[in-house]
Structure formats: structure tokens, C-alpha cells
Amino acid sequence: DGGITQSPKYLFRKEGQNVTLSCEQNLNHDAMYWYRQDPGQGLRLIYYSQIVNDFQKGDIAEGYSVSREKKESFPLTVTSAQKNPTAFYLCASSWGAGQPQHFGDGTRLSIL
Amino acid sequence: ELKVEQNPLFLSMQEGKNYTIYCNYSTTSDRLYWYRQDPGKSLESLFVLLSNGAVKQEGRLMASLDTKARLSTLHITAAVHDLSATYFCAVDIEVDGLTFGKGTHLIIQP
């Protein structure tokens, strides 16, 4: 079955530590996205990529970094510069602008 | 900056009743999406509305889009408990990602 796989499901970060969240899709989608969801809130865009080796900042990119070396993979690194990283992180993919986005099951990140 | 506002943010209703959730947005767009989220889960796509006047229905849910008014509605007919969830509308412009509303937390009581 085609879909989007996020791992791990739960992740804990220590102070000063960088952590990387994985997102893999086998839908052959060109575009991939990372969103952050805080409790009781909607999703906010962190980064997005329309093609391999290219990506753009979203609304809240500070403290995060991404790479897009392969079409099927779009990992997100939460750096130590992100002072409030506790949230639910959702990865999505689509054929491109104007096409519905399909979401992974999410990674819940907490601070130790 | 695109802003998306949903109302109400919280709705408690009885089974069998009808209700409408509203989604207003601030910038011209003809692409609007509705998603459902169950507690602790990811988002499930409900409707994709891609033109003015678009109307889509699935079971007890019906969504519509008025791009001139920058308004979309999600209408619930004869609500049942299984529809309890948080519903999000989202808008996209050009090639950017989606801008989401804050969500409507819907509780349907017997």
C-alpha cells in the first residue's frame, strides 16, 4: 500500500540536542511538507519542498532544518536553537500545488 | 499574509441535529480543503474544493465554497456520534503549503 511513513512515533529531546524526524513516502509525490501542531491549534507550515534538492521556508522555519536528497524522503531536524520544540509534527506529500495533501501519522516530540 | 478563521472553535450538539461550520479566509484563493482529525491521530482528507460554487457531499457531511465571499461551509446533517472529531479547513495559494484554521472541536452527544 502507498503511503507516508513517519518515524519515530514518539521522540524525546534533551537540552542542547539536535533530533531528526524521518518522513518517507512511496506515493511518487513531487511535493513534501512539514507542519507543526500545538495543542488546540491548527497546523503551521515549517518547510516545504516542491522538487528534489530544493526547499523553502514556511511560516515558522526558525530552529529547524530540512534536506531533500531523494524524492521519497524529507527529514526534518529540530535543532537546539528551537527553544520550544514540544509539539506534534506532521509530514505531508502531494502531487503539487492545488492537489490534496496526504498526511503521515505524525511524531510527538517532547523535552526531557 | 493569508489568515484562515473557523467558527465556532468548539461545538457540542445532539445526535440528529443539523449544524454548519464556517471557514473564512483573507486572500483570494480557489483551493480549499477540509480535514478531519481524531484525538492523537493524523489528518484525514474529507473534501477538496477547487472552484467557486463547488459543492461536495459524503454521507452526512456537505462542503461548499464561495470564492467571492472567501467562505466555505461544512454542513452536518442529522449528526451521529461517529462524527465527533476536530475539523480543519485549509487554504493554499500559489505553490506554498497549506494555511490552516484553528479547527472546530465537535462533540456529538446521544
Side-chain angles (χ1 to χ4, degrees):
Chain A
D1 286 341
I4 302 173
T5 301
Q6 289 187 242
S7 62
K9 189 171 184 177
Y10 299 96
L11 186 59
F12 298 92
R13 195 190 88 169
K14 295 179 181 178
E15 292 288 341
Q17 185 182 42
N18 294 351
V19 292
T20 297
L21 285 59
S22 171
C23 178
E24 304 276 333
Q25 54 100 0
N26 60 4
L27 300 167
N28 202 33
H29 284 166
D30 292 309
M32 296 187 75
Y33 309 83
W34 274 106
Y35 295 90
R36 168 181 172 142
Q37 185 178 30
D38 293 285
Q41 300 294 317
L43 281 67
R44 291 182 291 167
L45 182 65
I46 305 173
Y47 269 98
Y48 63 99
S49 168
Q50 298 291 338
I51 56 173
V52 174
N53 292 323
D54 189 38
F55 49 83
Q56 283 76 42
K57 294 182 179 180
D59 299 323
I60 55 166
E62 185 175 349
Y64 300 96
S65 66
V66 293
S67 62
R68 185 86 186 275
E69 297 176 1
K70 298 186 296 182
K71 186 176 184 178
E72 59 270 24
S73 178
F74 191 39
L76 173 74
T77 297
V78 184
T79 75
S80 57
Q82 173 48 247
K83 298 306 179 187
N84 184 23
T86 298
F88 188 43
Y89 291 86
L90 286 158
C91 177
S93 70
S94 76
W95 290 112
Q99 302 298 318
Q101 293 185 15
H102 301 267
F103 286 82
D105 288 338
T107 293
R108 201 166 296 277
L109 175 62
S110 302
I111 293 291
L112 282 178
Chain B
E1 179 188 351
L2 173 60
K3 294 188 187 300
V4 180
E5 293 187 355
Q6 284 182 241
N7 70 83
L9 297 181
F10 182 82
L11 177 59
S12 179
M13 56 191 293
Q14 288 185 316
E15 281 191 326
K17 299 291 186 182
N18 303 334
Y19 210 84
T20 300
I21 299 170
Y22 297 89
C23 175
N24 291 91
Y25 54 98
S26 62
T27 302
T28 301
S29 172
D30 55 5
R31 298 195 291 267
L32 190 135
Y33 310 85
W34 284 96
Y35 290 89
R36 168 181 172 147
Q37 186 178 38
D38 292 297
K41 303 294 186 182
S42 186
L43 272 68
E44 173 191 353
S45 178
L46 293 175
F47 298 109
V48 179
L49 303 169
L50 299 177
S51 62
N52 186 39
V55 177
K56 292 198 175 179
Q57 184 164 3
E58 180 74 32
R60 300 174 187 275
L61 300 178
M62 183 173 71
S64 65
L65 177 62
D66 181 342
T67 59
K68 293 179 181 178
R70 299 178 186 169
L71 171 68
S72 179
T73 60
L74 180 66
H75 187 72
I76 303 157
T77 302
V80 293
H81 179 70
D82 287 352
L83 291 179
S84 296
T86 299
Y87 293 86
F88 292 96
C89 64
V91 178
D92 80 54
I93 52 175
E94 298 179 350
V95 296
D96 297 340
L98 297 175
T99 299
F100 283 79
K102 291 189 175 181
T104 296
H105 184 51
L106 174 63
I107 295 176
I108 299 171
Q109 300 176 356

